[in-house]
Amino acid sequence: MGVARKAPAASEVSVRIDGADVSIAANGTVLDAARAAGRRVPTLCHSERLEPHGACRTCLVEESGGKLVAACHTPVADGQSYTTRSARLTRLRRNTVELIVSDHPLECLTCSANGRCDLQTLAQEVGLRESRYESPRVHTPPRDDSHPFIKLDMEKCIGCGKCVRACDETQASFVLGMAGRGYDAKVIAGADTGLEEADCASCGQCVLECPVAAMEEPGTRLHGTPDATVTTTCGYCAVGCALDVHTKDGAVVVIEPNADGSANRGHACVKGRFAHQYTRSGDRLRSPLVRQADDTFRAASWDEALGLIAAEFARVRDTHGPMAFGAISSSRCTNEENFLMQKFARVVMRTNTVDNCSRVCHSPSAYALRNALGTGAGTNSFQCVETSDLLMIVGANPTEAHPVFGARIRRAALAGAKLIVLDPRNIELARLADVHLPLRPGSNVAVINAMQHVLIHEALVDAEFIAAHAEAYDALRAELAEYTPEWAAPISGVDPDAIREAARMYGGASCAQILWGLGVTEAGHGSNAAFGLINMAVMTGNMGREGAGASPIRGQNNVQGASDVGALPHVVSDYRPIGDAATRAAHREAWGVDLPAADGLRIPDMLDAAHSRRLKAMYIMAEDIAQSDPHVAHVIGALERLEFLAVQEIFMTPTAELADVVLPGAAFLEKDGSFVNSDRRIQRVRRAVDPPGEALADGDI
Ligand code: SF4
Ligand code: SF4
Ligand code: SF4
Ligand code: FES
């Protein structure tokens, strides 16, 4: 199926390219060597992201002796000399391009790929102006316009197969195929049902790889060729894909994955790729709004809105004390903005009552990881799944929630890694899994304890690793003695033999990685479940090696960073406890103020305090807690009881509707800063377009 495991590290070989000596990895191709020598060899069917294919023959080069080879898929031979430019090669390449062009409409001026089409570039490069061949084009395959983001125009298809391979190898969705022969060959989706009907994930990878405009997205056709490109980091999920945002006249035209993105390696999903129209929505907040006596909002100047907020916050602090104020920072905003928010709460409002939405997602993971391993973050990078021989996914649906990482897991499973899934739902990865434990919601701890029981009692643990690195193993062993699979079965609804099979498979792996999601941490006893998963990794020695470990898959784009920079009520940046005198002394020196020593309130405690009218004012930045937090009636009741609420948002959300003052903030495409993704890469966020109207970046506010 064209899915390849990571190649082993290779030694180097030396070759000569157009008279210059270069050294490259022994498993490289002639094309790699040419590029290392700074020589451009034209390609049409080749992509750095895909396995070599060798379909178009435009990359022909000459070996010493004159033999012609396709550079893109010919392995380098140590000591060999290659010629990449000669009159003969230009003539051969022109012949090849001429044949391709003979079955391609010459409508470049009206084509959306005009100016960035690989075929057009190559035709110019070899001096081709017209084709000598009479066009055999008697076929006019119908366009497939069924899909909202991706249009197929098979009249322009040159049959290179890159789209099919992208769907197979990068996205691992296997939606596309080639049908027909010769001039009638065409790309089909599903069983030739049209792309909309096929099981397409709308990742856009096929469009990205298409060298012509046979696969296109409507952006360029609608808005014209972009005039600027900015590379930024996606603001949708914690994979943290690097994106190239192409704009024209200050508006987004097309977004593509950045080829060098360390987290995504030139891949993106439907959200990062296509979900940008909201930035131009007429519903965006464009000016500050102030609530009037009749409970409607009116537009206000920044001076008026900020003056009102400053007066009310000062009144509450000075009249009722700092603990009457609370701030909710945002995992959607940048590190810098979160840092400013917690500093505002601590320095200006003199309270540690500042929190972010990790409270209701992965704070149990951070707690367990910090206490078990010393730091509140996962142990692995995304690419580690390529070296794991077993992946255990618990309470997470990454192919939907973190699609680029999900595709990587799917590729690893298709390439041979064992897959265990603990999830009540029959999710896509469950259908691919070697073992799926469809446990009842809320029974994670029972199943995880039973798996540990099997590992211990069937001697599937790594005694040497435990002796060297673990504490209190004997106590854990005694604790787990009674938690057999038979004990867990009635609680979880899972067959005891299936629990045993999963535990044996996990214990038998040489390099296993556990990944868990909100199905673990948003359930009762989330910390206990996370501790159990970490214990499982430690007792089997699956720690401290590439591909082995235990990591949460964080949800929002910057939930890690918001916590790292101290938007939490009990710690400041780098998780230094606020109760620690040395931490406060360092801040006194840096900021010139004494920070309060007592922990602040967590989000649920803030809401309780608002209900009992101890908390009287709140500042909420880019969080819609009235819609997304549990028990929304309780949340709304709390916000309604406040004396004053300021909300910073990009749309009039249910939370903003309850505010006294609403401030218009900016989307991730409209601001500068940095995010920390799920595997802790600190990545730049760059402004690609301006916020609408008078809206400002949240940090500027
Ligand atoms: S958009 Fe993605 S999933 Fe859909 S056909 Fe293209 S590559 Fe395959
Ligand atoms: S649609 Fe594009 S990528 Fe796919 S085979 Fe045709 S030319 Fe190649
Ligand atoms: S996988 Fe996540 S970070 Fe990447 S493009 Fe999709 S939503 Fe954005
Ligand atoms: S690029 Fe080498 S054969 Fe197509």
Side-chain angles (χ1 to χ4, degrees):
M1 288 188 283
V3 176
R5 301 304 308 275
K6 194 174 172 183
S11 56
E12 294 214 319
V13 294
S14 290
V15 295
R16 180 162 287 191
I17 301 288
D18 296 334
D21 292 329
V22 288
S23 296
I24 68 157
N27 62 355
T29 62
V30 177
L31 183 63
D32 295 331
R35 288 179 175 172
R39 304 299 270 180
R40 182 183 130 72
V41 174
T43 60
L44 277 179
C45 71
H46 177 77
S47 167
E48 291 300 314
R49 291 173 285 258
L50 303 173
E51 291 293 303
H53 187 55
C56 72
R57 317 303 285 178
T58 54
C59 64
L60 289 177
V61 297
E62 289 179 61
E63 284 183 359
S64 57
K67 184 183 170 196
L68 294 166
V69 294
C72 70
H73 72 112
T74 303
V76 275
D78 197 14
Q80 181 62 270
S81 295
Y82 302 95
T83 302
T84 69
R85 293 177 196 176
S86 68
R88 180 189 180 208
L89 286 171
T90 300
R91 181 168 44 79
L92 287 167
R93 287 173 188 155
R94 189 191 299 129
N95 285 348
T96 304
V97 178
E98 199 173 358
L99 270 172
I100 296 170
V101 163
S102 73
D103 189 35
H104 186 85
L106 296 176
E107 300 159 355
C108 296
L109 274 182
T110 56
C111 180
S112 64
N114 189 21
R116 52 188 186 86
C117 167
D118 293 350
L119 182 61
Q120 187 185 46
T121 305
L122 187 49
Q124 286 167 351
E125 195 172 317
V126 297
L128 184 72
R129 294 283 171 267
E130 58 187 5
S131 174
R132 289 168 296 165
Y133 305 109
E134 192 177 330
S135 173
R137 307 177 83 255
V138 288
H139 58 295
T140 49
R143 285 176 61 90
D144 177 359
D145 286 327
S146 62
H147 193 283
F149 309 128
I150 300 166
K151 310 298 177 191
L152 275 67
D153 183 357
M154 284 304 105
E155 220 185 345
K156 292 178 179 164
C157 177
I158 61 170
C160 68
K162 282 172 82 176
C163 55
V164 179
R165 290 181 286 132
C167 194
D168 293 356
E169 295 175 26
T170 307
Q171 173 62 21
S173 281
F174 305 96
V175 170
L176 302 176
M178 298 294 294
R181 290 181 163 275
Y183 286 117
D184 290 324
K186 64 169 186 171
V187 175
I188 58 167
D192 207 1
T193 53
L195 198 51
E196 177 67 348
E197 289 291 307
D199 203 11
C200 166
S202 306
C203 70
Q205 206 65 18
C206 48
V207 181
L208 184 75
E209 296 290 358
C210 184
V212 292
M215 290 252 174
E216 64 169 352
E217 55 186 288
T220 316
R221 183 170 290 280
L222 292 174
H223 305 292
T225 308
D227 55 24
T229 297
V230 169
T231 301
T232 188
T233 303
C234 180
Y236 278 106
C237 89
V239 175
C241 295
L243 302 175
D244 289 336
V245 184
H246 305 290
T247 61
K248 183 178 178 64
D249 302 330
V252 178
V253 175
V254 166
I255 296 182
E256 292 178 323
N258 179 270
D260 300 323
S262 63
N264 56 320
R265 297 180 184 167
H267 189 199
C269 81
V270 60
K271 294 177 278 185
R273 190 96 159 74
F274 298 115
H276 52 78
Q277 292 81 0
Y278 75 94
T279 57
R280 297 189 292 272
S281 165
D283 292 339
R284 285 289 301 274
L285 294 172
R286 287 175 159 71
S287 71
L289 300 171
V290 171
R291 185 179 294 280
Q292 305 180 101
D294 65 357
D295 256 2
T296 59
F297 286 106
R298 66 169 169 80
S301 69
W302 275 106
D303 281 349
E304 181 190 359
L306 293 177
L308 186 54
I309 292 172
E312 282 298 300
F313 284 175
R315 178 186 66 77
V316 167
R317 180 195 60 199
D318 298 340
T319 311
H320 303 288
M323 289 303 282
F325 172 84
I328 297 183
S329 203
S330 176
S331 305
R332 292 218 163 278
C333 290
T334 63
N335 294 319
E336 295 73 16
E337 290 164 341
N338 278 285
F339 183 82
L340 286 175
M341 182 58 125
Q342 61 89 34
K343 187 174 178 184
F344 173 79
R346 293 187 158 112
V347 173
V348 178
M349 299 305 291
R350 303 297 171 93
T351 177
N352 290 312
T353 297
V354 56
D355 207 352
N356 75 82
C357 78
S358 70
R359 181 66 48 213
V360 287
C361 63
H362 269 295
S363 64
S365 302
Y367 174 77
L369 286 159
R370 191 169 59 251
N371 283 283
L373 303 178
T375 187
T379 59
N380 298 85
S381 65
F382 288 137
Q383 58 261 40
C384 278
V385 298
E386 291 162 13
T387 42
S388 307
D389 67 347
L390 183 143
L391 297 166
M392 186 163 118
I393 315 294
V394 188
N397 188 3
T399 56
E400 285 194 3
H402 302 80
V404 165
F405 187 43
R408 203 174 274 185
I409 293 171
R410 196 166 45 214
R411 292 202 305 264
L414 290 169
K418 291 258 187 293
L419 187 61
I420 299 171
V421 171
L422 274 67
D423 202 296
R425 302 161 297 176
N426 188 25
I427 57 173
E428 184 184 357
L429 290 180
R431 296 193 290 276
L432 266 182
D434 296 278
V435 180
H436 173 210
L437 303 184
L439 72 185
R440 284 195 192 106
S443 64
N444 291 323
V445 176
V447 173
I448 292 165
N449 279 351
M451 285 184 72
Q452 291 178 84
H453 172 97
V454 175
L455 290 170
I456 291 170
H457 290 272
E458 296 194 8
L460 294 168
V461 296
D462 184 338
E464 212 173 298
F465 188 89
I466 292 169
H469 301 289
E471 293 168 359
Y473 174 70
D474 289 338
L476 178 70
R477 180 192 170 98
E479 180 84 13
L480 291 167
E482 64 189 273
Y483 298 133
T484 62
E486 283 70 23
W487 167 84
I491 300 170
S492 64
V494 179
D495 181 350
D497 288 341
I499 296 176
R500 276 202 177 80
E501 186 187 0
R504 287 170 186 159
M505 192 175 284
Y506 179 80
S510 58
C511 193
Q513 191 181 163
I514 301 173
L515 295 153
W516 70 89
L518 299 179
V520 168
T521 55
E522 286 187 344
H525 308 288
S527 307
N528 300 74
F531 270 121
L533 295 171
I534 298 163
N535 286 344
M536 207 184 289
V538 172
M539 71 174 66
T540 53
N542 279 302
M543 276 285 160
R545 289 178 287 126
E546 189 182 355
S551 300
I553 311 175
R554 311 294 307 234
Q556 290 192 359
N557 53 314
N558 197 32
V559 70
Q560 182 73 52
S563 301
D564 288 351
V565 301
L568 292 168
H570 60 298
V571 292
V572 289
S573 56
D574 201 23
Y575 302 95
R576 290 169 292 171
I578 191 66
D580 174 37
T583 297
R584 292 198 306 283
H587 281 75
R588 187 185 313 121
E589 195 173 325
W591 292 351
V593 292
D594 283 317
L595 298 188
D599 286 359
L601 301 179
R602 296 170 170 80
I603 290 174
D605 303 326
M606 286 188 219
L607 299 173
D608 289 345
H611 268 280
S612 60
R613 300 196 189 277
R614 286 174 288 128
L615 195 80
K616 297 185 184 295
M618 286 186 78
Y619 180 12
I620 300 177
M621 176 171 75
E623 285 292 339
D624 187 12
I625 61 170
Q627 179 157 250
S628 60
D629 275 26
H631 199 349
V632 289
H634 181 74
V635 175
I636 291 169
L639 298 181
E640 285 175 341
R641 279 173 175 74
L642 294 171
E643 289 180 10
F644 186 79
L645 173 62
V647 172
Q648 204 160 297
E649 255 304 347
I650 61 172
F651 287 103
M652 183 55 85
T653 61
T655 304
E657 279 169 5
L658 298 170
D660 296 287
V661 178
V662 181
L663 303 175
F668 78 94
L669 292 167
E670 302 161 350
K671 58 171 70 169
D672 288 297
S674 61
F675 294 151
V676 185
N677 77 339
S678 189
D679 68 354
R680 305 199 86 182
R681 288 164 220 262
I682 303 172
Q683 306 192 105
R684 274 300 309 272
V685 177
R686 296 183 184 87
R687 177 188 285 224
V689 291
D690 291 333
E694 296 173 42
L696 292 172
D698 296 85
D700 292 343
I701 297 172

